[in-house]
Structures are given as C-alpha cells and as structure tokens.
Amino acid sequence: MKSFKILSIATLLMAFTTVAVAQSKTETFKVAGNCGMCKSKIEKAAKDAGAKEASWDVDTKVLTVTYKSSSTNTAKIQEKIAAVGYDNAGATATTESYDKLHSCCKYERMSASTTNEAKEACCQKSGEKMDCCKDAKSMDCCKDGKCTKPGHDGKDCCKKSE
C-alpha cells in the first residue's frame, strides 16, 4: 500500500511538471542595437514584459527569450523593447524613444518611407489588403496565406483587412 501511495505521488508530480514545462516557450528574433548598454536595456525590457530569461547577442543582434505563454507573448515582449528605443522584428520604436538612447546605442534605422513602402508591398496579396504585416519591415511576411512574421506561427493572420 505504501508503494502505491509513493507511485501515485510521483506520477502526479511528473504530470504537474510536464504541464508547467509545456507552457514555457522559447523564441528568437532580431533586435537592433550596438553595445553592452543596449544588451542590458533590451534584456531588462524583455524581462519586464514577462520573459523568464532573455539573452541578446551583440554580434548577431538576435534576442532569445523564454517565457510562460500563459502570462505573456512575443508581441508584448517586442512592444516593450520598442518602447525603450529598439526596433525589432515585431515592433518599431517611436522617434521619441529612439532619441532618448545614449549616443553609442543609436543604430542605423530604416527611413519611415522605406518602412512604409515595405509594409504596403508586404500587405498586398492577390490585390487585396492584408492585415498581418502592419508592423513588418520585410516584404515576405505573407506566403501561401500563412504569416511568416515572428510570433505569428503561420496562423490565420493573413486575412483581409476590414
């Protein structure tokens, strides 16, 4: 009987552990920046947005975040990073937040007209306006009706805009 109780408790603990791990997601995406000061601000912003772990590589400009999908998502993390001045794959920093960056942190930004042209081209599919790419910087975010934009997981975000 004692063995049965121990086995039952062990099984329940394994089940709870599996559920907790299943909710944890790891994502990577590009974030503009230049230096160690940028690294600190980018990682702090990601953690403030709910990431459990955040690591930005200065050389590759890639941020790796791990978070619980029940408490945050990639879009929230990207918006928080943009709010502190750093353009990224899912959100563009405002001019005001970018201007507040230290001089060594100011990276080369795409011009507003270039960004808008890319958005317009991206959001055209078979002559219909699409809403999945409203913040995209690349021109290939919609392919075969699926969104290739980071954080969208190819879901139905390539639907027509209203």
Side-chain angles (χ1 to χ4, degrees):
M1 185 69 172
K2 189 175 182 179
S3 298
F4 179 73
K5 285 182 182 179
I6 292 172
L7 182 62
S8 297
I9 291 171
T11 303
L12 282 173
L13 287 175
M14 285 183 7
F16 285 123
T17 303
T18 303
V19 169
V21 170
Q23 293 180 352
S24 186
K25 287 184 84 174
T26 299
E27 301 277 342
T28 60
F29 53 90
K30 291 268 193 183
V31 179
N34 294 324
C35 62
M37 192 182 315
C38 296
K39 178 178 175 64
S40 297
K41 288 181 180 180
I42 291 166
E43 291 174 356
K44 182 181 182 317
K47 289 178 181 176
D48 288 349
K52 292 187 324 186
E53 296 177 29
S55 178
W56 184 70
D57 187 289
V58 177
D59 296 325
T60 63
K61 313 291 188 225
V62 172
L63 176 69
T64 302
V65 291
T66 302
Y67 60 90
K68 286 187 178 180
S69 58
S70 60
S71 61
T72 193
N73 60 44
T74 305
K76 287 179 186 176
I77 293 169
Q78 291 171 332
E79 286 295 327
K80 187 73 167 180
I81 292 167
V84 296
Y86 297 95
D87 293 345
N88 60 73
T92 303
T94 63
T95 302
E96 294 79 22
S97 63
Y98 175 79
D99 288 344
K100 290 179 185 177
L101 293 176
H102 189 272
S103 60
C104 72
C105 296
K106 294 197 176 182
Y107 50 89
E108 189 173 331
R109 299 183 83 185
M110 288 180 65
S111 71
S113 62
T114 304
T115 303
N116 289 336
E117 288 169 15
K119 286 180 192 176
E120 288 299 316
C122 171
C123 294
Q124 294 293 330
K125 184 173 181 188
S126 303
E128 298 173 332
K129 234 1 180 186
M130 308 309 279
D131 67 351
C132 67
C133 306
K134 62 184 178 184
D135 296 321
K137 291 181 183 176
S138 74
M139 295 175 59
D140 63 345
C141 57
C142 277
K143 291 202 177 189
D144 300 323
K146 303 281 184 183
C147 187
T148 60
K149 187 174 169 190
H152 287 241
D153 301 323
K155 296 189 180 159
D156 64 349
C157 59
C158 289
K159 60 188 179 191
K160 291 182 198 174
S161 296
E162 324 250 27

